[in-house]
Amino acid sequence: CGGRESGHDGPAPGSGAAAGSREARETREAREERHIEPLPMDDFESKIVEWTTEVINLMGYSAQVSVAFREPNKLGLRIDTDSASILTGKKGRNIDALQLLANVYAGNLGHSDTKIVLDSENYRLRREEALVRIAYKTAEEVRSTGHSILLEPMNPFERRIIHTTLNDIIDIETKSEGDGLIKQVRVMLKGRNQ
């Protein structure tokens, strides 16, 4: 790891810098505890990583695919590429489509119980944070106007974020409207239908 060239071993005891150094060390240790081996650990992971890389290559883009996380029945893959915005697509449509295909392939490999989650440049986290902000802003607007609001069409993951974000707000309720996989969420005052 990068050596220190300042000429001393660290901050003076009791200085604010010592506390900052301790916090940095604790943060580094926390990162090491949850460190995920980015290389595939078994044949299934190898095939999913190779398949995802190959599909992206066939699309005309180069990418490095690695394991981002492992959970029971869930495998997260990180896609590092210079074409992240294109692979992600508007509102994540492209990466969602690629993720759907990866899950179909996982099922063909006999792992239909394992959900594959694809991400690039932390798109999923950024989208989740944006949806939480939209949910709270919409709830405030519904309160101030007394009128329900129908949000943009969303996939099941995104709708779940809206529903769970607003679930504990006493005077607000939500419901999904529409047919098929992509539906809209209506945010309304509790006890009022539309």
Side-chain angles (χ1 to χ4, degrees):
C1 296
R4 299 175 57 110
E5 296 182 15
S6 62
H8 60 84
D9 291 328
S15 72
S21 175
R22 185 174 51 250
E23 289 171 6
R25 185 173 56 253
E26 289 169 359
T27 302
R28 184 181 68 245
E29 289 167 359
R31 276 195 310 266
E32 288 171 358
E33 280 181 24
R34 64 178 188 270
H35 172 74
I36 298 295
E37 174 57 48
L39 299 175
M41 292 184 67
D42 58 26
D43 191 46
F44 168 67
E45 288 184 7
S46 292
K47 286 181 178 180
I48 285 289
V49 167
E50 289 170 16
W51 180 89
T52 305
T53 303
E54 181 64 20
V55 169
I56 293 169
N57 288 338
L58 289 170
M59 291 169 62
Y61 304 103
S62 63
Q64 193 83 7
V65 179
S66 59
V67 175
F69 65 85
R70 292 178 183 88
E71 294 175 7
N73 299 322
K74 192 182 268 190
L75 177 66
L77 300 181
R78 182 178 60 243
I79 302 169
D80 293 314
T81 177
D82 291 335
S83 307
S85 61
I86 294 169
L87 284 177
T88 300
K90 186 176 180 180
K91 296 193 179 167
R93 288 189 181 112
N94 295 350
I95 202 163
D96 284 347
L98 186 57
Q99 179 174 293
L100 175 68
L101 293 174
N103 279 285
V104 169
Y105 181 66
N108 290 341
L109 293 175
H111 288 267
S112 58
D113 60 333
T114 302
K115 179 171 174 55
I116 307 300
V117 178
L118 301 182
D119 199 5
S120 185
E121 292 187 346
N122 290 321
Y123 167 76
R124 303 253 180 234
L125 177 63
R126 289 183 289 119
R127 179 67 175 151
E128 184 173 341
E129 290 170 348
L131 287 168
V132 168
R133 285 192 302 273
I134 288 169
Y136 285 129
K137 181 180 175 206
T138 304
E140 285 303 314
E141 192 173 336
V142 166
R143 274 190 187 128
S144 67
T145 66
H147 299 290
S148 69
I149 296 176
L150 191 61
L151 297 176
E152 66 188 54
M154 298 178 195
N155 66 39
F157 171 77
E158 293 173 330
R159 289 195 313 272
R160 191 174 313 114
I161 291 169
I162 299 291
H163 291 304
T164 56
T165 298
L166 299 180
N167 190 44
D168 293 331
I169 298 180
I170 245 169
D171 59 337
I172 297 291
E173 65 182 333
T174 60
K175 72 175 183 176
S176 291
E177 296 182 3
D179 297 320
L181 192 61
I182 305 299
K183 298 178 186 176
Q184 293 177 279
V185 175
R186 181 172 300 278
V187 180
M188 60 197 143
L189 289 172
K190 218 169 234 172
R192 290 191 189 175
N193 285 342
Q194 305 184 21

